[in-house]
Amino acid sequence: MCTRSGSFSSLDTQLTSVRYKDEVKRGNFAKLTSEDIEYFKQTLGEDGISSDPEFLKEYNIDIYRMVKGQSKLLLIPKTTDEVSRILKYCNDHNLALTPQGGNTGLVAGSVPVFDEIILSTSRMNEIYGLDEVSGILITQSGAILYDLNEYSELRGYIVPLDLASSKKCQIGGNVSTNAGGLRFFRYGSLHETVLGLEAVLPNGEILDCLRPLKKDNTGYGLRHFLIGSEGTLAVVTKVAIQCSLKPKSVGVLLIGTPSFDLLLDCFKKAKIYFQETLSCCEVMDMESMNCTVQNLGLKNPLHDNETSEYFLFLECSNATEDKNSVKMKSKLIKFVKLLDDSVKTFIALDAQDISVMLKSIVFTISIQTQDKTNNS
């Protein structure tokens, strides 16, 4: 069994500095003073700062309640200039700082280890616009991924990134962690789709690489140093990202196989058969499937099949056919006939449960991991 036990209360989580006392040591940074707090109040106003311990709880702990920091101060700027002033002051006064977006990362990189100041980009959520000719979207880094996708879909596009945490994660955090997601297979990494960035360096200097131009071979590609840098080099404040045309037709195929070699054979055939219409490919084993089904109360579409040990999720999409296209379903059926007789399949034109299942694998397994850790 792989079911949820225990609670997600922050009271159950040990301080990171205590839990890993032999592995982590506080650097030689200054302690926060009342003069520091007053400066930040003058810079951000009352709405842009909080030292309320109760309010800081959710910022001091990761989404899976695995680690916990001791920050005494939260800063929530709204503009690049405010971020610049914060970083320059912290740099000049030797104050440690942790940038934080939606705080949905799987490795708790946005949570303080000790008493670092937290800089949240949650108020930097303005969407500047989407060029409907080029498909380039420009936004502040604190915009929620789900909101960006909704904004893009209304204009006939989609953001080339889809994550389980899309209703909470921020595009700046996605860029800083080089997040992958379900659309990675077709659209590639953010190194390919992020065309420009604006960021603030530790000394407060603003780095402007926000050129919304897909074909730009001039100078150094500085944005690539920041994508995946996790806030260690700079704080991302604005993003220009290449969006793709919104698919009009989507088909989903779930394949169950008794062996991993057979799954790989199915995948190779799918790449040849579907070619550029293959938009998503994910793999899960039986243990992951059972863990997700049991924790979320979902149904495995191949639940009557006792021979499958591995599952391959394939999604095909294109921007030319109608949503309920008979042609799409017919193409999926023809592909199934090419597979080995031992392979079990499920076809759908709207497979919301399967999508939720795929996005939730890491979450449900993390619950199990946390429970084992807390009980050990």
Side-chain angles (χ1 to χ4, degrees):
M1 281 289 283
C2 172
T3 54
R4 178 79 179 101
S5 64
S7 70
F8 262 15
S9 169
S10 62
L11 296 176
D12 299 335
T13 307
Q14 194 174 30
L15 289 172
T16 306
S17 57
V18 175
R19 185 173 182 177
Y20 299 103
K21 60 183 179 181
D22 295 328
E23 288 85 8
V24 295
K25 302 293 181 186
R26 187 183 188 279
N28 188 27
F29 296 103
K31 291 283 188 178
L32 192 67
T33 67
S34 58
E35 288 79 9
D36 299 327
I37 295 175
E38 185 58 32
Y39 172 82
F40 293 127
K41 280 184 180 179
Q42 293 295 324
T43 302
L44 304 176
E46 293 292 339
D47 293 338
I49 182 172
S50 177
S51 56
D52 179 4
E54 194 65 30
F55 188 73
L56 263 68
K57 279 185 179 179
E58 288 303 306
Y59 293 87
N60 263 315
I61 194 166
D62 72 306
I63 192 171
Y64 297 128
R65 276 42 181 173
M66 298 291 285
V67 296
K68 185 163 68 172
Q70 310 167 65
S71 178
K72 303 295 190 295
L73 185 66
L74 171 69
L75 305 178
I76 320 175
K78 289 191 71 173
T79 67
T80 300
D81 181 64
E82 288 177 349
V83 174
S84 174
R85 294 173 67 184
I86 290 169
L87 293 189
K88 185 179 188 309
Y89 184 90
C90 288
N91 187 66
D92 291 346
H93 293 79
N94 196 31
L95 291 168
L97 179 142
T98 299
Q100 187 176 108
N103 196 19
T104 60
L106 303 182
V107 295
S110 60
V111 177
V113 177
F114 296 98
D115 57 347
E116 301 95 303
I117 296 170
I118 300 173
L119 188 156
S120 170
T121 54
S122 58
R123 292 205 303 167
M124 301 179 67
N125 55 9
E126 183 177 354
I127 302 173
Y128 296 113
L130 188 150
D131 186 317
E132 296 185 31
V133 175
S134 66
I136 298 174
L137 174 70
I138 300 180
T139 176
Q140 277 189 303
S141 61
I144 302 295
L145 179 59
Y146 180 86
D147 295 339
L148 290 176
N149 203 55
E150 291 284 295
Y151 180 92
S152 301
E153 285 195 10
L154 290 174
R155 292 154 180 81
Y157 288 87
I158 60 169
V159 177
L161 181 66
D162 188 20
L163 301 168
S165 57
S166 64
K167 291 188 177 182
K168 192 173 187 295
C169 68
Q170 299 173 13
I171 189 64
N174 300 149
V175 170
S176 296
T177 56
N178 193 21
L182 296 182
R183 293 174 180 166
F184 185 97
F185 184 83
R186 183 165 186 171
Y187 303 112
S189 77
L190 291 175
H191 279 286
E192 298 175 64
T193 55
V194 171
L195 304 181
L197 293 173
E198 178 190 79
V200 181
L201 301 176
N203 64 357
E205 182 181 348
I206 298 172
L207 180 66
D208 186 0
C209 302
L210 196 70
R211 282 177 279 188
L213 182 64
K214 187 166 186 178
K215 187 177 180 181
D216 183 359
N217 56 5
T218 60
Y220 297 106
L222 294 178
R223 71 183 187 276
H224 293 295
F225 286 96
L226 302 180
I227 297 171
S229 65
E230 301 194 30
T232 58
L233 300 178
V235 175
V236 175
T237 52
K238 293 177 185 175
V239 179
I241 188 167
Q242 176 69 64
C243 295
S244 301
L245 287 173
K246 179 183 176 181
K248 294 181 180 179
S249 176
V250 178
V252 170
L253 177 62
L254 181 64
I255 299 173
T257 67
S259 72
F260 190 71
D261 287 340
L262 188 54
L263 182 143
L264 290 178
D265 182 64
C266 293
F267 173 60
K268 287 189 290 184
K269 289 178 178 177
K271 285 201 298 182
I272 295 171
Y273 186 83
F274 295 113
Q275 297 186 24
E276 72 278 357
T277 62
L278 190 60
S279 54
C280 177
C281 174
E282 294 286 334
V283 176
M284 65 169 69
D285 59 16
M286 180 58 81
E287 185 177 358
S288 299
M289 174 70 81
N290 288 340
C291 186
T292 306
V293 167
Q294 290 165 7
N295 277 283
L296 298 183
L298 299 175
K299 182 180 179 181
N300 177 0
L302 301 177
H303 66 283
D304 293 331
N305 168 33
E306 297 181 356
T307 61
S308 295
E309 292 296 327
Y310 298 93
F311 299 90
L312 176 65
F313 170 88
L314 300 175
E315 179 190 82
C316 298
S317 63
N318 62 59
T320 59
E321 297 173 1
D322 294 334
K323 182 177 180 182
N324 295 316
S325 171
V326 175
K327 185 178 178 181
M328 174 65 79
K329 189 169 184 178
S330 174
K331 194 170 185 178
L332 292 171
I333 292 173
K334 288 179 181 178
F335 172 71
V336 168
K337 293 178 180 179
L338 301 176
L339 304 179
D340 188 274
D341 291 340
S342 63
V343 171
K344 307 301 179 183
T345 60
F346 172 80
I347 296 175
L349 295 181
D350 183 13
Q352 187 63 32
D353 279 0
I354 298 178
S355 179
V356 171
M357 190 181 298
L358 284 168
K359 291 181 179 181
S360 304
I361 292 174
V362 174
F363 176 71
T364 53
I365 292 177
S366 294
I367 292 174
Q368 182 185 29
T369 302
Q370 185 213 15
D371 291 340
K372 287 181 178 179
T373 302
N374 290 343
N375 294 330
S376 62

